[in-house]
Amino acid sequence: MGSLLPKCHNDTMVVKIDSPLPPEQLGPRLAEIYAVLGPLYRRATRVVENESPHTGLSVGVRTVLELLVRTGTAETVPQIARTLGLSRQFVQRMVNDALEQGFVVLKRNPAHRRSSLVELTEPGQTAIRTVQGSEHEVLGHVDGDLTDAEIATTLRVLRRMLAAVNEIDV
């Protein structure tokens, strides 16, 4: 007995676009997103690395600076590592690099004597905003007539995927 749902050209089931997908369809569809995100992330990383001699920002330092801009507050290395899903050792190396470049300073942490707070400096803010401004200009020319609603939906899906992965004990 065949399925009651119509099939599309690639033999996948067609469902109403605004209906939640059942798990057996959701998994493969979300896997398609991961398949696109991997190459996108690697390519974007190469672009940042190629610009590094001009900006002074490695991918790792940039990631730390962006987090400090996003949170708007000083954070400890363990907090940064936990938020980014990176090892404390890697984050410490990136913070050390950022310190050498004057992009961050270490402040006394009243809550924990041994774990200083990493705070973004004015040169650090300028550096990351300059890189982001250039990036935003390039990204503003992405083809596809994307709408704000489509971007909002994409972000909602990606955030839910991130939350689900974060719940997995690694």
Side-chain angles (χ1 to χ4, degrees), residues 10 17 32 34 39 60 73 84 87-88 91 104 126 130 138 159 170:
N10 64 356
I17 198 160
E32 289 180 59
Y34 284 118
T73 184
L84 296 174
S87 75
R88 282 184 288 159
V91 171
V104 298
T126 299
T130 299
V138 170
R159 288 179 179 130
V170 187

Side-chain angles (χ1 to χ4, degrees), residues 12-13 21-36 161:
T12 58
M13 284 197 279
L21 291 173
E24 64 275 3
Q25 292 176 0
L26 180 62
R29 294 293 287 157
L30 293 179
E32 289 180 59
I33 294 171
Y34 284 118
V36 172
M161 291 171 69

Side-chain angles (χ1 to χ4, degrees), residues 5-20:
L5 293 173
K7 301 279 185 177
C8 67
H9 73 283
N10 64 356
D11 204 34
T12 58
M13 284 197 279
V14 175
V15 293
K16 285 179 64 176
I17 198 160
D18 60 350
S19 299

